[in-house]
């Protein structure tokens, strides 16, 4: 199926895996305002991180499409005194305290924190406070830091929201997924439509100025009319940010047992593409900037934390199944709770953790091409040399001609395909490389894979 993120270092709902879909639109139909965006500079992971992801894995139950590491708590109305939460948070704070700081003469305080899950809003504010205090004590925390929390409808009230805001939580990612009761039930979601509207009202009443709605397309039995209604109701709610994910059927999930991608009751790839184009059109017409494959925002409301990933900046990560990116190396934590507890004990005893190396050039290419800003060619050449970039442009030649891939100059103006001369000495006019919206984004998996093929043949 289409449009799923191949890069999932943090196990938050903001990450999905990429796939392909054919399309028939032309580049001339793509929106133009992206040229006004500030250029995306290549950020090599040399400086100490200024962002942290924290995995809070608790859910009322496992959704039918979810393969994240979670702990299902059950459907009790309150989990304030649940020992499973307090025990996990204690282990999490121990991990934060035991983390070795990267070698550097100075350490910037954290500028972004993302509390993901799971359903972090099931964690009582007093325990969220413990996590934020541990981060602040270890790394420092900017006074104006963006502190985001994933929250599900039906898991918080006004008092809890105000309590979290008093701790510094200033951005909410609301896990709506769908506005149709039948689709919520078929996905195994624990909330209903009424709880969505209640959650939106709480967020607005409490004065949360920066909040996002998460939606999922290509659900079983989802129709274009249903998807259009979800988009309309989202726009009417007025969030500053919208994340739109296409369903991925994972093998070890209930959906993986019940359904085959592309076969009824799941939509075909072309139908999934239509859902994506509808979202791009409707949200664009409502004033949302399509700044990343799955992300839309009002002016000035890009998610600062997620932008850390797209710019390939380093970041800390803590908790079950999460992975950090420090000094060019990714550290992965165990997905099973018992193994994670042992990992933290080893960390306290001086271990560096579990190391997983990734190719930096492939990371930079994939992360940059997911965004409307695209790949900064000058920075890429300086970091990795001319030969790789020449090979990428050569393999993209037919896609430059079709408009799926676009070259831009320093002023972010289109460079015609016939002006893109690929040779050992590249045209200095070429400044940026990006995928078109929505056509190139729809084929992002295939196009990025082509680049991977020449970077690491």
């Amino acid at each position: 199926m289409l449009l799923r993120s191949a890069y999932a270092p943090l196990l938050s709902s903001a990450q999905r895996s990429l796939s392909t879909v054919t399309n028939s639109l032309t580049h001339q139909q793509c929106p133009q305002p992206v040229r006004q965006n500030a250029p995306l500079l290549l950020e090599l992971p040399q400086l100490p991180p200024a962002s942290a992801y924290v995995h809070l894995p608790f859910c009322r139950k496992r959704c039918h499409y979810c393969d994240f590491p979670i702990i299902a708590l059950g459907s009790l109305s309150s989990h304030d005194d649940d020992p499973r939460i307090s025990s996990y948070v204690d282990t999490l704070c121990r991990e934060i305290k035991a983390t070795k700081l990267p070698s550097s003469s100075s350490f910037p305080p954290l500028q972004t924190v993302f509390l993901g899950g799971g359903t972090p809003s099931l964690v009582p504010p007093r325990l969220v406070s413990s996590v934020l205090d541990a981060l602040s004590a270890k790394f420092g925390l900017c006074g104006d830091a963006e502190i985001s929390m994933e929250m599900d409808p039906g898991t918080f009230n006004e008092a809890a929201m105000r309590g979290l805001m008093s701790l510094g939580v200033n951005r909410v990612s609301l896990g709506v997924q769908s506005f149709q009761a039948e689709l919520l039930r078929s996905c195994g979601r624990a909330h209903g439509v009424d709880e969505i509207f209640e959650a939106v009202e709480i967020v607005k009443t409490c004065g949360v100025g920066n909040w996002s709605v998460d939606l999922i397309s290509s659900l079983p039995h989802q129709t274009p009319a249903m998807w259009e209604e979800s988009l309309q109701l989202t726009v009417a709610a007025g969030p500053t940010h919208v994340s739109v994910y296409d369903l991925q059927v994972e093998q070890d999930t209930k959906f993986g047992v019940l359904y085959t991608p592309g076969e009824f009751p799941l939509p075909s790839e072309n139908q999934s593409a239509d859902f994506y184009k509808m979202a791009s059109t409707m949200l664009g017409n409502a004033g949302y900037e399509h700044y990343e494959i799955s992300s839309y925002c009002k002016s000035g409301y890009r998610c600062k934390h997620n932008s850390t990933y797209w710019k390939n900046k380093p970041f800390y990560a803590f908790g079950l199944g999460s992975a950090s990116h420090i000094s060019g190396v990714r550290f992965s934590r165990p997905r099973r709770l018992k193994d994670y507890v042992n990992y933290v004990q080893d960390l306290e005893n001086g271990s560096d953790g579990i190391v997983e190396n990734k190719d930096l050039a492939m990371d930079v290419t994939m992360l940059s091409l997911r965004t409307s800003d695209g790949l900064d060619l000058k920075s890429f050449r300086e970091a990795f040399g001319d030969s790789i970039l020449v090979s990428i442009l050569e393999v993209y030649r037919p896609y430059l001609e079709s408009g799926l891939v676009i070259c831009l100059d320093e002023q972010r103006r289109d460079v015609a395909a016939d002006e893109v001369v690929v040779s050992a000495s590249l045209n200095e006019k070429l400044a940026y490389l990006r995928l078109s919206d929505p056509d190139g984004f729809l084929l992002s998996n295939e196009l990025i894979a082509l680049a991977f093929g020449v970077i690491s043949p």
Side-chain angles (χ1 to χ4, degrees):
M1 300 183 72
L2 102 124
L3 193 65
R4 305 183 187 103
S5 159
Y7 183 64
L10 308 180
L11 300 176
S12 79
S13 65
Q15 270 69 54
R16 297 288 187 267
S17 61
L18 283 161
S19 186
T20 62
V21 67
T22 57
N23 66 88
S24 59
L25 296 182
T26 64
H27 165 52
Q28 284 72 22
Q29 293 170 290
C30 300
Q32 301 305 311
V34 293
R35 300 194 190 111
Q36 300 170 6
N37 297 337
L40 172 65
L41 298 178
L42 175 62
E43 298 281 354
L44 299 181
Q46 298 170 343
L47 298 175
S51 295
Y53 172 82
V54 180
H55 191 61
L56 300 173
F58 306 102
C59 289
R60 287 177 287 185
K61 61 178 183 175
R62 182 178 289 278
C63 298
H64 298 341
Y65 50 78
C66 175
D67 72 339
F68 290 171
I70 68 161
I71 299 171
L73 299 176
S75 56
L76 295 176
S77 58
S78 174
H79 298 280
D80 284 356
D81 299 315
D82 194 313
R84 292 170 292 182
I85 299 180
S86 57
S87 176
Y88 177 85
V89 169
D90 177 69
T91 304
L92 181 66
C93 291
R94 286 168 48 208
E95 182 194 356
I96 294 170
K97 183 177 180 180
T99 295
K100 295 180 180 179
L101 295 172
S103 300
S104 178
S105 58
S106 63
F107 300 93
L110 296 177
Q111 298 172 7
T112 74
V113 175
F114 197 101
L115 304 171
T119 307
S121 47
L122 289 172
V123 178
R126 61 183 174 80
L127 295 180
V128 174
S129 178
S130 297
V131 174
L132 294 176
D133 286 346
L135 290 171
S136 182
K138 183 71 177 185
F139 307 108
L141 193 60
C142 289
D144 61 349
E146 177 192 85
I147 302 178
S148 302
M149 175 180 264
E150 292 181 343
M151 306 180 74
D152 276 3
T155 62
F156 63 99
N157 55 26
E158 184 175 335
M161 185 73 257
R162 294 192 184 279
L164 292 168
M165 293 174 69
S166 72
L167 300 176
V169 175
N170 52 23
R171 184 179 183 277
V172 169
S173 181
L174 195 60
V176 171
Q177 316 311 357
S178 172
F179 280 88
Q180 291 75 44
E182 60 269 40
L183 293 186
L184 293 172
R185 286 193 298 269
S186 70
C187 289
R189 296 292 294 178
H191 69 266
V193 175
D194 288 344
E195 289 172 308
I196 294 174
F197 291 113
E198 290 170 3
V200 169
E201 184 61 29
I202 291 171
V203 168
K204 289 184 172 182
T205 298
C206 291
V208 180
N210 188 0
W211 63 288
S212 180
V213 165
D214 287 357
L215 297 175
I216 300 179
S217 64
S218 301
L219 294 169
H221 299 287
Q222 189 176 41
T223 66
M226 290 176 174
W227 182 233
E228 183 177 13
E229 180 185 45
S230 286
L231 291 168
Q232 288 173 338
L233 291 172
T234 296
V235 170
T240 54
H241 190 282
V242 182
S243 294
V244 175
Y245 305 119
D246 188 79
L247 175 69
Q248 179 175 7
V249 179
E250 299 287 357
Q251 184 175 359
D252 297 323
T253 64
K254 187 170 183 178
F255 274 5
V257 174
L258 294 174
Y259 305 126
T260 300
E263 296 184 8
F264 185 82
L266 296 177
S268 67
E269 289 189 343
N270 286 338
Q271 289 170 324
S272 292
D274 290 340
F275 285 145
Y276 183 73
K277 294 170 188 174
M278 184 187 297
S280 182
T281 299
M282 291 181 63
L283 293 173
N285 290 341
Y288 290 89
E289 174 198 0
H290 193 181
Y291 73 98
E292 189 272 331
I293 285 179
S294 302
S295 306
Y296 303 78
C297 70
K298 293 290 189 178
S299 179
Y301 287 95
R302 291 189 181 193
C303 178
K304 295 178 182 178
H305 183 85
N306 285 348
S307 293
T308 296
Y309 312 144
W310 313 138
K311 295 182 180 181
N312 202 41
K313 290 183 178 180
F315 53 86
Y316 299 107
F318 305 99
L320 193 68
S322 65
S324 54
H325 185 201
I326 303 172
S327 301
V329 179
R330 302 193 189 280
F331 293 79
S332 297
R333 288 140 187 82
R335 290 171 59 92
R336 296 179 58 178
L337 183 59
K338 181 178 179 181
D339 294 336
Y340 170 66
V341 172
N342 291 336
Y343 160 82
V344 173
Q345 183 63 60
D346 290 342
L347 194 65
E348 291 174 321
N349 293 335
S351 169
D352 285 332
I354 303 170
V355 180
E356 181 181 323
N357 290 309
K358 296 286 184 77
D359 187 289
L360 181 57
M362 295 193 343
D363 276 358
V364 169
T365 301
M366 186 268 288
L367 294 171
S368 298
L369 291 180
R370 282 185 59 90
T371 70
S372 60
D373 293 326
L375 179 65
D376 184 322
L377 300 183
K378 181 180 179 181
S379 296
F380 190 89
R381 290 172 68 184
E382 291 175 351
F384 306 111
D386 283 349
S387 61
I388 291 179
L389 186 53
V390 167
S391 297
I392 290 174
L393 290 174
E394 285 178 343
V395 80
Y396 279 164
R397 166 62 68 184
Y399 303 97
L400 288 164
E401 293 173 353
S402 68
L404 293 173
V405 178
I406 307 168
C407 274
L408 304 173
D409 64 15
E410 288 285 357
Q411 286 71 46
R412 302 193 66 80
R413 296 173 301 198
D414 287 5
V415 177
D418 57 8
E419 296 182 51
V420 180
V421 179
V422 179
S423 64
S425 57
L426 288 171
N427 186 345
E428 292 297 328
K429 184 177 182 180
L430 307 181
Y432 305 99
L433 185 75
R434 61 152 299 178
L435 307 184
S436 63
D437 176 12
D439 304 348
F441 280 167
L442 281 168
L443 279 172
S444 56
N445 183 62
E446 181 178 276
L447 294 171
I448 292 171
L450 288 172
F452 281 6
V454 299
I455 294 171
S456 182

